[in-house]
C-alpha cells in the first residue's frame, strides 16, 4: 500500500496535465489516464442543474475508455478537421487544488480552471472556465487519472469546445 496522495503531488499532476495539453504533447497527456478512464463534461439541464447520467442524458463530452480519447486526439492531429487546423493556441490556469479524499491507492481531487484560447483561423480569443473533479488511482509507481469530470460554467460559447479548451 502506498502513502496517500499529498496536495503537492496533486498540484504537480494537474499542472503537468495542463502543460501537456497546452503544448500539444498528446501522447504524454494520454499516458496520464487509466485504460478505463471516464472523461465527462455534463450539459446543463437548466440554469442551476446539470445532467447526472451520461448514459441516459445529454453530455457536452463523454468518453468511456482511453481508446476514445486516443481517437479524439487522432482526429485533432490528423489535419482532416478544418476546425483544428491550425490548432488553437491555449493556456490553462489551474488553481484551488484540493485533495478531497485519499486512502491507499485512490484519491479524489477538486480544482478550478480557466482556459484562454486563441483561434488563429478566426483571429478570436475566448475564455472557458469551470471546475474539475478527478478520481485518481496509483498504478505502478505513479498516479493516473481514472475519471475526470469537467463542469464548464460558461457553456454558452461562440464555438465548438474540444478537449484542448477545457
Amino acid at each position: 500500500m502506498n502513502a496517500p496522495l499529498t496536495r503537492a503531488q496533486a498540484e504537480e499532476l494537474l499542472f503537468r496535465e495542463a502543460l501537456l495539453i497546452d503544448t500539444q504533447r498528446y501522447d504524454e497527456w494520454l499516458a496520464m489516464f487509466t485504460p478505463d478512464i471516464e472523461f465527462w463534461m455534463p450539459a446543463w439541464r437548466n440554469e442551476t442543474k446539470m445532467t447526472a447520467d451520461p448514459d441516459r442524458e445529454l453530455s457536452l463530452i463523454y468518453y468511456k475508455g482511453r481508446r476514445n480519447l486516443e481517437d479524439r486526439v487522432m482526429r485533432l492531429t490528423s489535419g482532416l478537421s478544418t476546425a483544428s487546423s491550425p490548432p488553437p493556441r491555449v493556456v490553462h490556469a489551474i488553481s484551488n487544488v484540493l485533495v478531497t479524499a485519499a486512502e491507499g491507492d485512490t484519491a479524489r481531487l477538486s480544482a478550478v480552471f480557466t482556459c484562454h484560447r486563441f483561434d488563429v483561423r478566426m483571429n478570436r480569443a475566448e475564455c472557458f472556465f469551470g471546475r474539475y473533479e478527478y478520481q485518481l488511482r496509483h498504478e505502478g509507481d505513479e498516479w493516473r487519472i481514472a475519471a475526470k469530470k469537467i463542469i464548464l460554467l460558461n457553456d454558452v460559447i461562440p464555438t465548438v469546445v474540444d478537449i484542448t479548451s477545457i
Side-chain angles (χ1 to χ4, degrees), residues 7-163:
R7 181 173 158 195
Q9 290 171 311
E11 288 177 332
E12 177 76 20
L13 185 134
L14 299 188
F15 296 162
R16 183 170 12 108
E17 182 196 12
L19 177 64
L20 293 175
I21 200 82
D22 289 350
T23 56
Q24 300 172 19
R25 291 159 50 196
Y26 297 119
D27 289 339
E28 293 173 73
W29 179 72
L30 288 166
M32 296 184 73
F33 299 100
T34 61
D36 62 343
I37 174 72
E38 182 179 66
F39 191 95
W40 180 35
M41 186 165 62
W44 286 92
R45 183 177 296 133
N46 57 41
E47 295 303 315
T48 60
K49 292 189 177 153
M50 301 184 74
T51 57
D53 184 348
D55 291 324
R56 298 171 52 149
E57 297 178 282
L58 181 66
S59 295
L60 298 174
I61 295 175
Y62 184 69
Y63 295 122
K64 183 70 174 157
R66 188 169 59 205
R67 179 67 192 111
N68 292 305
L69 276 178
E70 291 167 353
D71 181 63
R72 184 66 211 137
V73 166
M74 186 277 303
R75 290 172 189 269
L76 280 172
T77 58
S78 69
L80 298 176
S81 170
T82 57
S84 60
S85 183
R89 300 176 195 154
V90 297
V91 65
H92 287 78
I94 312 296
S95 65
N96 297 20
V97 178
L98 293 174
V99 178
T100 57
E103 187 175 323
D105 290 342
T106 62
R108 291 183 183 270
L109 310 179
S110 174
V112 298
F113 74 93
T114 302
C115 177
H116 294 272
R117 172 189 155 154
F118 180 69
D119 185 331
V120 178
R121 290 177 309 116
M122 303 297 286
N123 192 29
R124 179 174 61 202
E126 300 157 334
C127 179
F128 303 98
F129 56 89
R131 287 188 300 278
Y132 294 139
E133 295 175 4
Y134 288 90
Q135 294 177 36
L136 305 181
R137 272 198 316 254
H138 198 268
E139 294 185 348
D141 60 350
E142 60 189 7
W143 289 94
R144 297 203 187 278
I145 302 167
K148 180 176 181 179
K149 181 178 178 183
I150 302 106
I151 301 165
L152 184 63
L153 296 176
N154 62 325
D155 66 323
V156 178
I157 50 177
T159 188
V160 174
V161 175
D162 209 333
I163 59 174

